[in-house]
Amino acid sequence: MEEDRLWKFRKPAWLNSAWARNTGVYGAGALFSLAFYVLIDSAVWSHSPLNGSDVHVTFVDWLPFIFSSLGMLIINSVEKARLSADSFSYSGSGVAWKARIVLFLGFAALAGGMAGGVVVFVLKFVVPEVGWPMMGMGVENVVANALVGLSSVVLWISQNMEDEYSYNLSL
Amino acid sequence: MPSAGLKTIIALSFVLAVGFLLVILSCALWKVYYPLLVVATYVLAPVPNWICGRCANPDDFVESSGGNAVLDLGRFCTGFMVVMGIALPAVLAHSHLIEMGAMVMCVIGGLLIYGTIISFGMFFQEEQEF
């Protein structure tokens, strides 16, 4: 595998340990939970007596989060090993091609969710010039979608670590 | 793990009792019983790991991702639950459903409970991991 290396610097050894991989997966769950509860916080705050305005969190605010979670689910459900067309014996039936299409849909849903969060923030909170404590709900929406993206990045990286790890074991 | 004897059990149960004390106090002092949810969260937190650990095939040494994905799912859910135990009181306190002091006590108590569960699992598990 040494001559297949693409980058000049090799990965540090601790990155390949099972410990680092497990920590990555736990961390991804933690980040996703953080995103979920940031959004829950905006919804709960919006219907609490603290919210004096008539701006409320409705289903529209949840929609970007739903899309980015869906994208995260799709991205991390795809088998990474099928992605490279030159992997032996799987390129025949066009699995790599299908995997790329599905992965593209997943990334599109994730990016669309993040863009949707920004859209909701701009159209619902910035343009009508909502005052500051109410503005927090829009900011939380953007933060939640960014955290979902971060979580899927962490999960993706730690799942790629797994391949290296199992390869080292099988040697 | 060596020397996990009577003293460990006594210390762990003591810490568990202190954790429950803090959580129940955080509810009862302000007569708002939402923080009890944290106990349920932390008790349920290791459950996905256990279930998925059973579902995965332990004989699969060269881990082709069939069994491993299930393990990762369990870890993901556990990480979700652990942060949920901290985030839930924070959400409640932010909307003034519970007081700030109740939030702090409840988070500390929840962490003590979860730490007890985790260290109990670490001390008294059979040597089967990896």
Side-chain angles (χ1 to χ4, degrees):
Chain A
M1 194 50 96
E2 276 302 301
E3 54 269 13
D4 285 353
R5 232 166 6 105
L6 176 60
W7 306 107
K8 276 187 178 177
F9 297 103
R10 70 181 67 204
K11 283 200 285 186
W14 58 266
L15 255 185
N16 275 341
S17 67
W19 181 85
R21 184 170 63 83
N22 291 348
T23 314
V25 178
Y26 281 125
L31 281 174
F32 187 77
S33 168
L34 212 57
F36 186 62
Y37 277 93
V38 163
L39 208 60
I40 289 270
D41 180 58
S42 76
V44 171
W45 194 88
S46 132
H47 292 281
S48 77
L50 293 174
N51 184 5
S53 69
D54 52 354
V55 179
H56 286 295
V57 171
T58 52
F59 182 67
V60 175
D61 299 74
W62 284 89
L63 214 51
F65 182 79
I66 292 172
F67 267 97
S68 40
S69 310
L70 205 62
M72 179 178 176
L73 185 69
I74 294 173
I75 288 172
N76 287 300
S77 302
V78 171
E79 179 67 64
K80 308 287 186 300
R82 307 285 177 276
L83 209 56
S84 49
D86 47 359
S87 85
F88 56 97
S89 84
Y90 286 114
S91 49
S93 53
V95 178
W97 191 74
K98 283 176 209 159
R100 281 175 191 158
I101 294 258
V102 170
L103 207 62
F104 173 75
L105 286 180
F107 275 114
L110 188 63
M114 286 164 122
V118 176
V119 164
V120 166
F121 175 58
V122 169
L123 285 187
K124 202 171 164 182
F125 293 92
V126 174
V127 173
E129 292 179 348
V130 179
W132 180 243
M134 279 70 76
M135 186 77 108
M137 290 186 284
V139 175
E140 279 180 324
N141 202 336
V142 176
V143 168
N145 284 302
L147 280 175
V148 171
L150 197 64
S151 163
S152 61
V153 166
V154 170
L155 196 54
W156 174 279
I157 289 177
S158 43
Q159 278 184 343
N160 279 351
M161 266 183 227
E162 161 209 354
D163 295 344
E164 299 289 321
Y165 170 67
S166 57
Y167 181 77
N168 286 346
L169 263 188
S170 66
L171 262 183
Chain B
M1 194 77 58
S3 75
L6 197 57
K7 279 181 196 162
T8 321
I9 295 181
I10 293 175
L12 280 180
S13 55
F14 188 72
V15 173
L16 187 71
V18 171
F20 270 108
L21 172 77
L22 276 175
V23 172
I24 290 176
L25 214 58
S26 79
C27 298
L29 276 185
W30 285 273
K31 304 264 190 312
V32 181
Y33 286 85
Y34 288 124
L36 275 184
L37 283 173
V38 171
V39 178
T41 305
Y42 278 125
V43 168
L44 285 181
V47 169
N49 244 353
W50 290 341
I51 293 177
C52 296
R54 288 288 167 194
C55 287
N57 184 8
D59 298 332
D60 204 1
F61 186 61
V62 188
E63 296 161 338
S64 67
S65 54
N68 221 359
V70 176
L71 276 182
D72 280 350
L73 180 68
R75 294 199 185 101
F76 187 85
C77 292
T78 299
F80 186 92
M81 296 281 245
V82 170
V83 175
M84 180 175 161
I86 300 174
L88 206 60
V91 167
L92 290 173
H94 184 215
S95 298
H96 285 215
L97 285 170
I98 62 176
E99 297 297 321
M100 196 55 89
M103 181 196 101
V104 171
M105 285 163 74
C106 155
V107 166
I108 294 175
L111 286 180
L112 284 180
I113 293 173
Y114 186 61
T116 312
I117 295 172
I118 287 299
S119 41
F120 198 89
M122 270 169 56
F123 280 132
F124 296 103
Q125 75 185 352
E126 326 251 323
E127 288 296 329
Q128 60 183 4
E129 284 280 333
F130 297 123

